[in-house]
């Protein structure tokens, strides 16, 4: 059963704002390669995020910090080739926008020009205001990212829920208003109390897409390896698993190994 209120042939930044206006929730997932993105796009997911979580789930790093701009462009290029409908948003990786606004713009331009992605995502609020302005002034659509911002993990020291204290919650609310005022088309809100996330979503007219931010926001995003159950050792409360691919894939690989060892693969029919 389809629950979309309107059919969008291609999802644009404007479609997302319309979805919020019409009360239609936005479905977003990450992807990092052609084959996965083709399935995700074909399933009608509205936004594909080429997240810097590729650093964790594709490259096996402990944090998102090591992934480079060239590597993000490689992932994004593969995803863009697969897409017919979804909006493709690409993370600016750590170190590609924090030092100065000119470098931030250069990094965003490289992503747009070399990958064909449709928008970029940056982590942070007031502290990256000048970089956001430069990128937006160049006509590049920007998705913000507030709350738990994994590129700052060594500052936070932990991946626990953010903005539980009044001062941090107040800063988050004013950062969300600032991002809207600067011209961002949407904001990802990661791991904050549901009540605060709802308040933020109601205070601005651009969509707020949550991950661990409860049901009062305008859409949801999950890392694809997590929702497919491939990262089975990762079990945060917010994660709903839609498949157990770790189990399925392990079984397939074991069956294949057994068939090769027992000489039952290939059969007479599977050879030339
Ligand atoms: O990189 C990523 O996958 C993200 C999501 C967690 C929102 O930023």
């Amino acid at each position: 059963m389809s629950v979309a209120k309107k059919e969008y042939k291609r999802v644009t930044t404007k479609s997302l704002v319309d979805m919020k206006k019409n009360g239609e929730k936005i479905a977003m997932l990450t992807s990092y390669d052609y084959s996965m993105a083709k399935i995700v796009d074909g399933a009608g997911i509205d936004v594909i995020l080429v997240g810097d979580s590729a650093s964790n789930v594709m490259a096996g790093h402990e944090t998102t910090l090591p992934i480079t701009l060239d590597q993000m462009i490689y992932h994004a290029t593969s995803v863009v080739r697969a897409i017919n409908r979804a909006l493709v948003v690409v993370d600016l990786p750590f170190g590609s926008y924090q030092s100065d606004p000119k470098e931030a713009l250069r990094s965003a331009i490289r992503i747009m020009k070399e990958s064909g992605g449709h928008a970029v995502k940056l982590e942070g609020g007031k502290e990256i205001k000048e970089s956001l302005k430069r990128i937006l002034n160049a006509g590049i659509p920007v998705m913000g990212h507030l709350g738990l911002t994994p590129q700052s993990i060594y500052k936070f020291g932990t991946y626990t829920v953010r903005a539980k204290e009044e001062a941090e919650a107040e800063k988050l609310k004013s950062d969300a208003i600032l991002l809207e005022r600067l011209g961002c088309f949407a904001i990802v809100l990661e791991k904050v109390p549901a009540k605060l996330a709802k308040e933020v979503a109601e205070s601005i007219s651009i969509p707020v897409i949550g991950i661990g931010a409860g049901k009062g926001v305008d859409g949801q995003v999950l890392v694809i390896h997590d929702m497919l159950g491939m990262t089975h050792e990762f079990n945060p409360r917010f994660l709903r698993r839609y498949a157990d691919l770790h189990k399925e894939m392990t079984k397939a690989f074991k069956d294949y190994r057994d068939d090769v060892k027992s000489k039952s693969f290939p059969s007479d029919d599977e050879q030339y």
Side-chain angles (χ1 to χ4, degrees), residues 116-253:
H118 307 134
V120 295
K121 176 163 81 60
L122 281 72
E123 295 183 5
K126 196 166 158 237
E127 29 331 293
I128 58 158
K129 181 176 163 195
E130 295 308 318
S131 296
L132 290 167
K133 271 167 81 176
R134 270 222 186 219
I135 296 171
L136 287 158
N137 280 343
I140 299 174
V142 175
M143 177 179 272
H145 184 153
L146 300 172
L148 176 68
T149 47
Q151 292 178 10
S152 306
I153 188 57
Y154 290 117
K155 185 172 110 187
F156 298 148
T158 153
Y159 284 101
T160 51
V161 180
R162 302 303 311 171
K164 282 188 3 206
E165 307 298 329
E166 183 70 17
E168 195 179 340
E170 285 308 315
K171 178 177 182 322
L172 194 149
K173 286 193 256 182
S174 69
D175 276 343
I177 290 167
L178 174 71
L179 294 186
E180 173 175 45
R181 194 158 49 76
L182 291 176
C184 291
F185 69 91
I187 298 173
V188 162
L189 201 46
E190 180 164 352
K191 244 182 159 179
V192 299
K195 187 165 166 284
L196 172 66
K198 183 168 185 286
E199 209 182 305
V200 170
E202 285 171 357
S203 73
I204 56 180
S205 57
I206 56 171
V208 173
I209 301 176
I211 173 163
K215 58 184 174 188
V217 291
D218 308 302
Q220 299 293 327
V221 55
L222 287 174
V223 170
I224 199 154
H225 291 64
D226 299 338
M227 64 87 77
L228 289 176
M230 293 169 83
T231 50
H232 69 134
E233 66 291 346
F234 180 61
N235 282 304
R237 187 203 293 196
F238 69 78
L239 176 61
R240 185 181 293 183
R241 293 198 195 288
Y242 288 84
D244 189 350
L245 285 201
H246 184 271
K247 194 166 148 204
E248 291 285 314
M249 290 168 81
T250 303
K251 182 179 179 316
F253 300 147

